[in-house]
Amino acid sequence: MELDELYQDLILDHFKHPRHRQELSDGEVLVDEENPTCGDHIRLTARVENGRIQDVRYDGKGCAISTASASMMAERLIGMPVAEARKLIGEFIGLIRGEKESAPADFGDLAALEGVKQYPMRVKCATMAWHAAEKALGKLGV
Ligand code: ZN
């Protein structure tokens, strides 16, 4: 199997079975983020205890890239210390925007989304959930 195929399978799998996606009540929504150029929409909530992200959940709708990106993000951020999460968010957004040469070695599955940087119209699809998470951490004051 070619690496590209493997990555496509990974993105499709997260798109078809998004992890940690769940209908949120209006009261628990911390951030509401849209990407009008594509029609992607995400509402996100997070919980932090003792400097560590205990939970990330979201709902909304979006294309395969935005859905897979949100799913992979939630999977990765849950359990992570806030400082580490903020660093990862910055690195991911930088990579997708093409500001970084290549994915760090510890990026794991997230590297599957690196190819998006070649498609400027899709960059926001991949980064939307990550911006939402960053804002959520800000709102939580952590
Ligand atoms: Zn999109």
Side-chain angles (χ1 to χ4, degrees):
M1 189 184 275
E2 294 292 320
L3 202 58
D4 277 358
E5 284 176 47
L6 183 74
Y7 280 171
Q8 279 174 10
D9 284 350
L10 195 65
I11 289 170
L12 271 180
D13 181 50
H14 278 273
F15 175 52
K16 288 178 182 162
H17 312 284
R19 277 58 144 183
H20 309 287
R21 187 168 75 175
Q22 187 183 95
E23 196 71 31
L24 303 182
S25 66
D26 290 343
E28 63 184 337
V29 173
L30 278 176
V31 179
D32 193 317
E33 194 87 359
E34 266 182 309
N35 172 26
T37 40
C38 181
D40 306 319
H41 180 212
I42 190 170
R43 301 194 312 162
L44 182 137
T45 191
R47 192 165 51 84
V48 171
E49 270 168 39
N50 302 322
R52 194 176 281 269
I53 297 175
Q54 301 292 343
D55 195 21
V56 175
R57 282 176 295 125
Y58 57 93
D59 65 10
K61 61 180 175 62
C63 63
I65 298 291
S66 70
T67 304
S69 185
S71 175
M72 286 188 210
M73 178 197 74
E75 202 169 52
R76 184 61 84 88
L77 293 189
I78 294 170
M80 197 175 257
V82 171
E84 212 177 296
R86 283 189 173 282
K87 181 168 169 277
L88 181 66
I89 291 168
E91 282 175 350
F92 181 83
I93 292 173
L95 178 73
I96 301 298
R97 282 186 181 156
E99 292 159 5
K100 286 186 198 293
E101 286 286 302
S102 59
D106 62 353
F107 245 38
D109 287 359
L110 296 177
L113 291 161
E114 188 181 353
V116 173
K117 69 183 179 191
Q118 294 160 41
Y119 306 93
M121 292 289 289
R122 310 306 301 277
V123 165
K124 276 195 172 169
C125 300
T127 58
M128 179 181 70
W130 296 77
H131 282 296
E134 196 170 39
K135 285 183 188 173
L137 292 176
K139 281 202 170 180
L140 289 169
V142 292

